[in-house]
Amino acid sequence: MVTLKIVFWCCVALVIYTYLGYGVLLYLILKVKHLFIHKELTPILPLNEELFPQVTLMICAYNEADIIEEKMRNIQQLNYPKSKLCVMWVTDGSNDNSNELLQTYSDITLVYSPERKGKAAAMQHGLRENKAEYVVFTDANTMLNADAIREIVRQFMKTNVSCVSGEKRVQARHKGQAAAEGEGIYWKYESTLKQWDSDLYSAMGAAGELFAVRMSHYREAPSNALLDDFMMSMLILKDGHRIAYTRDAYAMEYGSANIDEESKRKRRIAAGGLQSIWWLRGLMNPFKHPKVAFQFVSHRVLRWSITPIALVALVPLNIILMFTCWHWGYTLAAILQLLFYLAAFLGYTLERVGHRIILLYVPYYFLFMNLNVFKGISYLMTHHSSGTWEKARRA
């Protein structure tokens, strides 16, 4: 019985620490740090634009004909010297009219692969054609702010920074679109944690919507990587270089069309997270990587592996302890869990009929994300040898 009690309270502590405690701890550590060390200032770009570095903006795409025109309008509005920016599209096995549309633009480089091999392979294909020291990756369906490239280049001027992650911003196409709004709420919290990670030492990975690498420190991600962007950035971190995070360079995209489409993304991310944890297990060694081990385990490893199991285990453990070892603490925990799952069920029910109440939808989306970790295990078993995935429909 003592063992069950210990396991139960360890599970409680693990869930609280993973989703709330780590953020609070980061905030407090940074407050103390800034009392003794001034926050790192972002360097100033040269006044003469001729001194700006050459940058390649790479878009890896699969059947994105519907969005190409809008994406190209967005690229043409970027506030970076045109003579210093090479726009490269890499189409990975596209069988729509993407290539025909892209060939109408004379100011881009088009790299085409007739066989669909996945995003990681497409990136590697594009990088073999690249000649710039800095490469910015973005998705076809994300729109960048005008100063995004300038801000990313500015971040590279910081000490030991070899990868830069921009901010992902999710918007709903119309009010009440639960999947997009839930994703947006999650990304606001996630962006705050990434910024604090970066301020402490380094961001823990980059998202494919907008990130950049210094090619002299680039490491190739495995071609079957499900989270190619994350792996590419973390391999740079593994070599001793930092990943900077900036909110001044951001990518806007619409959220998933519905919760079923969002589930496709979440289970792939969960599967890719588990795959990445195994490949990057050396980063969890606190003797070799003390700062990174603390941040990597707290922000990534726990979320993608142990904590979802602890969350599920709390239910049977709580029931057993409540009936075999009465204590007001177990009764209170059972009531709180019951209210949480009831709120999640109501949030799910309302979402299915097109309504959203924030106090009910947050617990539903939280539970939805964690359940997709288990789906991710099955996904990984069937996709471990391929980096391709089924695209989620956007709003």
Side-chain angles (χ1 to χ4, degrees), residues 123-143:
M123 283 180 169
Q124 293 165 17
H125 189 186
L127 289 175
R128 287 195 292 271
E129 305 296 324
N130 167 64
K131 295 178 175 60
E133 169 67 353
Y134 301 103
V135 179
V136 178
F137 299 93
T138 185
D139 290 340
N141 63 345
T142 59
M143 304 301 146

Side-chain angles (χ1 to χ4, degrees), residues 246-307:
T246 175
R247 287 175 165 173
D248 293 326
Y250 56 87
M252 294 288 296
E253 70 175 7
Y254 290 112
S256 301
N258 54 54
I259 207 69
D260 295 321
E261 294 296 315
E262 177 67 359
S263 182
K264 293 179 185 178
R265 292 182 62 254
K266 290 302 181 189
R267 66 173 178 262
R268 178 181 64 84
I269 291 171
L274 291 167
Q275 183 188 58
S276 301
I277 288 171
W278 176 249
W279 285 341
L280 298 168
R281 57 192 180 279
L283 288 178
M284 290 185 271
N285 184 342
F287 300 103
K288 191 174 181 180
H289 307 281
K291 293 179 183 177
V292 175
F294 163 64
Q295 292 181 269
F296 182 45
V297 171
S298 298
H299 194 165
R300 298 298 187 187
V301 176
L302 294 179
R303 286 191 188 190
W304 285 336
S305 58
I306 303 171
T307 303

Side-chain angles (χ1 to χ4, degrees), residues 57-288:
L57 177 64
M58 185 181 296
I59 307 103
C60 296
Y62 169 70
N63 286 355
E64 297 287 4
D66 292 343
I67 202 71
I68 285 173
E69 186 178 349
E70 183 180 354
K71 181 68 174 182
M72 287 303 301
R73 282 199 303 269
N74 176 247
I75 290 172
Q76 289 159 2
Q77 294 169 0
L78 293 175
N79 181 22
Y80 199 79
K82 297 295 184 274
S83 62
K84 298 288 185 177
L85 183 64
C86 170
V87 178
M88 180 185 293
W89 283 79
V90 184
T91 57
D92 177 47
S94 294
N95 51 25
D96 60 359
N97 63 330
S98 293
N99 293 317
E100 289 77 9
L101 286 173
L102 289 168
Q103 285 169 356
T104 65
Y105 295 92
S106 59
D107 54 347
I108 70 165
T109 298
L110 175 60
V111 180
Y112 171 62
S113 172
E115 182 183 354
R116 190 183 181 202
K117 297 180 180 179
K119 190 176 178 182
M123 283 180 169
Q124 293 165 17
H125 189 186
L127 289 175
R128 287 195 292 271
E129 305 296 324
N130 167 64
K131 295 178 175 60
E133 169 67 353
Y134 301 103
V135 179
V136 178
F137 299 93
T138 185
D139 290 340
N141 63 345
T142 59
M143 304 301 146
L144 311 183
N145 62 307
D147 288 331
I149 308 297
R150 282 177 176 260
E151 293 302 325
I152 285 172
V153 169
R154 200 192 309 269
Q155 293 294 322
F156 276 118
M157 298 169 68
K158 288 183 176 181
T159 305
N160 200 31
V161 169
S162 291
C163 179
V164 178
S165 175
E167 180 171 273
K168 172 183 175 180
R169 298 185 182 181
V170 181
Q171 58 183 337
R173 191 173 288 277
H174 54 80
K175 188 175 181 181
Q177 187 187 355
E181 292 177 345
E183 189 183 356
I185 293 167
Y186 166 75
W187 272 103
K188 287 177 183 177
Y189 176 64
E190 179 66 14
S191 295
T192 300
L193 288 184
K194 286 184 176 183
Q195 186 65 68
W196 289 349
D197 271 335
S198 182
D199 291 345
L200 180 61
Y201 173 65
S202 171
M204 290 296 108
E209 286 77 14
L210 179 59
F211 79 106
V213 300
R214 187 193 301 268
M215 288 307 298
S216 55
H217 295 153
Y218 162 75
R219 288 274 305 277
E220 187 175 289
S223 60
N224 62 330
L226 293 170
L227 294 184
D228 40 79
D229 39 27
F230 180 77
M231 276 301 302
M232 191 185 296
S233 58
M234 291 299 286
L235 288 173
I236 289 174
L237 180 63
K238 189 177 181 181
D239 281 346
H241 308 289
R242 294 166 56 206
I243 305 169
Y245 183 80
T246 175
R247 287 175 165 173
D248 293 326
Y250 56 87
M252 294 288 296
E253 70 175 7
Y254 290 112
S256 301
N258 54 54
I259 207 69
D260 295 321
E261 294 296 315
E262 177 67 359
S263 182
K264 293 179 185 178
R265 292 182 62 254
K266 290 302 181 189
R267 66 173 178 262
R268 178 181 64 84
I269 291 171
L274 291 167
Q275 183 188 58
S276 301
I277 288 171
W278 176 249
W279 285 341
L280 298 168
R281 57 192 180 279
L283 288 178
M284 290 185 271
N285 184 342
F287 300 103
K288 191 174 181 180

